[in-house]
Structures are given as structure tokens and as C-alpha cells.
Amino acid sequence: MGDAESLISQVELARRWGVTSRTVSRRLGFLGITTVRRGRCRCLTMEQLALAERFHQHLSQGGDSSSFNIQDHGALETQVIPARQPPAPTPGHDLAHQQLTALATALLARLAPSAPSADPLQRARGLAEAADARLVLTSKELTEVLGHGIAGWRDSRDDYGFRFTRHKQQGKVLWTVERCPWSHPPQPRPLPANPPRLSEPFLGRMGRYGG
């Protein structure tokens, strides 16, 4: 029982040093330490741990393995101090920390610039511009205006209030866009060239009334 309590595993040693288990194995191999197997763990005795701790302190102070004298046990005296466990947070402290974190998250979300919303009329404006200006579009350009692919579209297609006509020129696929007949904007009524004149008798009466 007492012998088992005096052993420390390589996993615990790696956690204490803040290194990987592979680094611990390399250091123990350099020191010539043969660990003791206890179940699935490989452990060090307290004497082996003292030597490993002195080597770790030597490396932490900027030394290297070539300048460390394994035989000189008195070269560096180090007291082995068990690693202290962090105090368990009290319920009140943990609740305050959660509230503070939530407040900071909400504040950052409010201060962060919001992404601009997509223009719902962007597609309609692009198609209207292409139709009114009689533009010839490539398949890629038409895809960007529509916002989706046009795979499967054939010679002509009516959609979104426009007619899309497919053309081929020098091996390239081109498209023209036209407004559907019912989607043309209303034309303003022309003003009459000669506005009607008031009748003479009425002007006469107005003249009498005015006199």
C-alpha cells in the first residue's frame, strides 16, 4: 500500500511539467531511469522522481542534456513538491463568472457591425437593365445576375417576367433578355398637340361676369 502511494506515473509527470508523454519518455531514457509498471501505467519511484525533477529544473534554466551531470546528485538540490490542485470554484463565484461571460458576449454582439442584408430587388434590377439596354450576356454573366445556375435551359425560357433566348456564336453560348409582353412598364399618355380652346360664348359670358 505504502509502496504504491510512493509511485508517480509518467502521465502525471507530463502534466506537472507541461510536456507530452513522449518528451517524458525521452528524458527518462537519457537519465537511464527504468520505470515500474503498475497496471496500465508506468511509474517512477520517489528517488527516480527526484533525479527527473533535477533534470527538468536544469532544462528550465536554459541548460541542455550535455551539460547535466547525472552522477553528481548534489549539483542541483531540488525539493520535490507535489503539484497543488487548483481550488474548486464556489457556486457563487461560478455563477458570477457565467453572468460576466454572457454580458461580455452580448456586448460584443451589439458592437459588432451587422452584415448588410441582401437587396431583394437586385435580380429584378439586373434583368430589367439587361433587357432595356439589349445586352448580350454570357452564361456566367447571366448566372451572376440570376443568382443561380442555368443548367438545362434550352433555346428560350420565360421566367421572372422575362424571356431568355439562347444563341450560339463562334462556339460560345450567349443570352439575350426581353421583357414579357405583360411586364412592359406602362407608357405615359402623350399630351394633345393643341389643347381645346374655350368656346366664344363662354368667354363672352366670362367677360360679362368679369365686367
Side-chain angles (χ1 to χ4, degrees):
M1 183 77 171
D3 180 65
E5 293 178 351
S6 64
L7 300 178
I8 181 171
S9 66
Q10 287 188 216
V11 176
E12 177 63 27
L13 193 58
R15 187 181 301 112
R16 178 184 298 188
W17 289 350
V19 298
T20 63
S21 298
R22 186 183 298 271
T23 300
V24 173
S25 298
R26 286 200 301 266
R27 292 184 182 182
L28 297 182
F30 170 76
L31 296 174
I33 294 177
T34 302
T35 56
V36 180
R37 179 176 292 276
R38 287 293 183 270
R40 295 184 178 180
C41 300
R42 290 189 173 275
C43 303
L44 288 77
T45 64
M46 299 308 294
E47 183 179 357
Q48 292 173 334
L49 176 61
L51 176 60
E53 288 284 3
R54 286 197 292 270
F55 183 47
H56 174 68
Q57 183 172 352
H58 173 76
L59 296 177
S60 301
Q61 293 176 348
D64 54 19
S65 57
S66 60
S67 61
F68 182 73
N69 188 357
I70 302 178
Q71 303 301 328
D72 187 6
H73 295 287
L76 187 60
E77 293 295 335
T78 303
Q79 182 181 3
V80 179
I81 302 177
R84 295 191 303 174
Q85 298 294 331
T90 60
H93 178 271
D94 187 56
L95 179 60
H97 178 72
Q98 293 179 0
Q99 292 175 345
L100 182 61
T101 302
L103 179 62
T105 303
L107 181 60
L108 290 176
R110 179 174 297 182
L111 295 179
S114 58
S117 58
D119 184 4
L121 300 179
Q122 181 177 357
R123 176 170 51 202
R125 291 195 183 100
L127 293 176
E129 181 180 355
D132 297 341
R134 299 182 179 180
L135 301 178
V136 179
L137 306 177
T138 64
S139 296
K140 180 180 179 181
E141 292 169 345
L142 181 58
T143 298
E144 293 180 357
V145 173
L146 292 172
H148 59 75
I150 56 175
W153 286 26
R154 298 302 179 185
D155 293 340
S156 62
R157 180 187 180 94
D158 292 343
D159 208 348
Y160 303 113
F162 294 87
R163 172 163 295 175
F164 304 90
T165 306
R166 187 174 182 268
H167 312 272
K168 290 196 68 175
Q169 185 178 35
Q170 297 181 358
K172 298 180 180 179
V173 177
L174 303 174
W175 297 86
T176 54
V177 184
E178 300 176 278
R179 292 178 181 267
C180 290
W182 50 267
S183 67
H184 283 281
Q187 300 295 329
R189 294 182 179 179
L191 296 175
N194 297 317
R197 301 178 60 184
L198 298 175
S199 60
E200 292 297 333
F202 184 70
L203 286 175
R205 287 196 299 272
M206 286 183 64
R208 281 200 308 275
Y209 294 151

